Amino acid sequence: DQPRSRGLGDVYKRQDQGSQARERLALAIATQDTALAMVSREELQKTDRRMKETSFIRGISEVMLGNYREATEAFTKGFENVGADASRRAFSALHAHGAAQLAGESRIEMVAEAEDLVDEDEWIAKLLSAVRGEMDAEQLLAQANEGRDYIITGQRCEANFALAFAPGQTEAGRREHLEACVQTGMVGYVEYDVALAWLRRVAPRDWPIPLIGASDLSRKMTPPPSLE
């Protein structure tokens, strides 16, 4: 028998498996289903070991599971992906620092490095500046209110996330800003998902499981092998 070729068929199979795992992990995050998150995360790890395509969703899932150091690592992989655009890498640094702060650590050096990747007039640069204590809450929130309505809402979500991890922030202040982030309703934003995942862990009664389209979405998903 001749050895079986690992050609395009195998590549497409892995891509399809990775896509299904991402969909299931997205569903787990949307419904705060920790059991599904654990299974889907393991599946995804097999198809994207370097986390070049999945650093954001992996990071969110780790926060949801209370694995803040692992979340930091996942977001850091996103920052280290030199093939990604500068803005994406800079946002990854913001998320990595936030996750590290939840673990009682810091990635402020990464934040400073990320600032050098983007123009100072970009929105992400202002978020990073606030995290470094170079822009206060009033200034950042005022700038978040510039633009069209949808843009403003998204910027408020991101601004409150950044301010939750600004220097000298108290536990109460962090929770207040993360609550404000979630209250923008920007479902699908990394900042929203991380904030909600953390709030669900510290105050589950105050933050019930979101059911937005969850039942319809779940019917479209292929169940992972271990849950069939």
Side-chain angles (χ1 to χ4, degrees):
D1 293 339
Q2 293 188 359
R4 182 170 179 263
S5 172
R6 293 183 61 82
L8 286 177
D10 290 326
V11 173
Y12 290 143
K13 181 178 179 181
R14 289 197 301 274
Q15 289 176 341
D16 185 56
Q17 290 172 339
S19 177
Q20 290 178 5
R22 280 195 295 273
E23 289 178 345
R24 285 192 288 268
L25 191 51
L27 173 64
I29 290 169
T31 59
Q32 296 290 290
D33 186 333
T34 55
L36 180 59
M38 291 178 69
V39 174
S40 302
R41 178 193 57 176
E42 295 304 317
E43 284 188 279
L44 201 54
Q45 190 171 2
K46 295 175 183 177
T47 61
D48 185 22
R49 290 186 177 89
R50 296 183 180 181
M51 287 186 276
K52 285 191 173 183
E53 301 297 329
T54 60
S55 59
F56 287 141
I57 196 167
R58 284 278 302 282
I60 297 166
S61 68
E62 296 292 2
V63 172
M64 192 175 81
L65 296 170
N67 302 329
Y68 303 130
R69 287 187 175 88
E70 288 81 354
T72 303
E73 179 184 353
F75 290 130
T76 298
K77 290 288 186 181
F79 173 72
E80 293 173 344
N81 182 8
V82 295
D85 66 73
S87 178
R88 183 184 176 92
R89 293 182 64 197
F91 268 104
S92 293
L94 170 64
H95 304 144
H97 179 67
Q101 288 276 280
L102 294 178
E105 300 173 0
S106 172
R107 291 296 183 274
I108 199 66
E109 297 85 0
M110 187 189 302
V111 171
E113 188 176 344
E115 267 196 293
D116 293 334
L117 297 177
V118 294
D119 294 333
E120 62 180 13
D121 60 344
E122 289 186 51
W123 173 241
I124 179 57
K126 297 172 184 178
L127 297 174
L128 297 176
S129 181
V131 169
R132 296 186 67 195
E134 298 171 349
M135 181 180 292
D136 63 30
E138 185 176 349
Q139 289 176 303
L140 185 63
L141 291 172
Q143 294 198 35
N145 286 327
E146 298 177 1
R148 291 174 294 180
D149 289 345
Y150 182 81
I151 293 175
I152 288 173
T153 305
Q155 289 180 165
R156 284 176 181 166
C157 176
E158 294 163 339
N160 276 290
F161 181 88
L163 292 170
F165 305 106
Q169 186 60 268
T170 64
E171 188 68 23
R174 174 171 298 163
R175 178 168 174 171
E176 180 181 348
H177 280 296
L178 291 180
E179 287 179 348
C181 174
V182 172
Q183 287 166 353
T184 62
M186 295 304 294
V187 178
Y189 268 50
V190 175
E191 297 78 14
Y192 172 96
D193 288 334
V194 169
L196 179 60
W198 183 78
L199 289 168
R200 281 276 306 146
R201 293 193 65 81
V202 300
R205 292 184 179 179
D206 296 338
W207 297 94
I209 296 173
L211 297 175
I212 304 173
S215 59
D216 292 335
L217 185 59
S218 64
R219 284 195 290 270
K220 300 176 183 178
M221 300 296 165
T222 303
S226 57
L227 293 184
E228 287 181 330

